[in-house]
Amino acid sequence: MGDADEPKVDVLTPRDVPLGGPRAMTVRRTLPQRARTLIGAWCFADHYGPDDVARTGGMDVAPHPHTGLQTVSWLFSGEIEHRDSLGSHAYVRPGELNLMTGGQGISHSEVSTPRTTILHGVQLWVALPGEHRHTERDFQHHVPEPVRVDGAVISVFLGELAGALSPVRTFTPLLGAEVLLEPRAAVTLVVNPGFEHGLLVDHGDVRVAGTALHPAELGYIHPGTETLTLVNDSDDTARAVLLGGTPFEEEIVMWWNFIGRSHEDIVRAREEWENASERFGAVEGYAGHRLPAPVLPNATLAPRGNPPRG
Ligand code: MN
């Protein structure tokens, strides 16, 4: 158990979600869920693999739209071909950040490449704050230089940690980093006390602030701490992704691939996608049809925020 000085940790457990595609690979989703909508501006967390793509069919997500958010693709193994309506054509590879900004509207496709044997990684979304949610579509690629601290190797893809600073601009204060923990290592990291954090464990038996997490669980660490201690309780290397950010105070409406502020925002985005509006542009080079939007629920979509703090 953690000592009295350690911050409170809530364990968020994943649920299995089929991702689409001919044989529908399954992902483990920890955000959003009933107990928590956001960690900082991080509003969506899918963890998948390691999957043998010969068995699962890999990833094949046809062109689909996004609004009001950024997507972060981070792989541990395998390769994904990304195409978007900016004209970007990129390969997502392990240890390389691919950050797509939806803003007012973008569309993209994601397909694991024939070279891929094992597909393993995370897909994360960042909610854009109200003042920037209609920003222009954008795509950035960045390869962070891993930094070594005693007991760990850390790749900071967004924000700042362990003396490493990502040059990639964010619209709210944010942290995203992969942490590889050596066997039996205990690592104490200095963090921003104004941030809340989430530790998503990929593999290994990891304790954060005294709380044990299983693979695919997301430990939510309340704001107010200046250090976070990560412990690897196993004889193998452990891996986790550390997320953080200033608590996101706005309520958002999230439905399918859209983030808005009202039911009407979502209805409009859906209609514009179904009508092939210029808002989302077109993806060139994908072999197949674009994804149709699902039918809206027969009820008004309610804004969601985080539970009251305390
Ligand atoms: Mn997407």
Side-chain angles (χ1 to χ4, degrees), residues 61-62 64-66 69 71 100 108-110 123 125 257:
V61 185
H64 60 279
H66 287 291
L69 61 90
T71 62
M100 186 183 78
H108 72 146
S109 61
E110 299 155 287
Q123 161 124 185
W125 294 358
N257 293 304

Side-chain angles (χ1 to χ4, degrees), residues 259-288:
I259 292 182
R261 292 299 183 275
S262 66
H263 178 82
E264 291 68 32
D265 284 349
I266 301 296
V267 170
R268 191 176 319 114
R270 184 187 179 281
E271 271 175 18
E272 288 172 346
W273 173 248
E274 291 302 277
N275 294 330
S277 154
E278 247 321 291
R279 176 174 181 178
F280 298 105
V283 177
E284 303 291 338
Y286 176 81

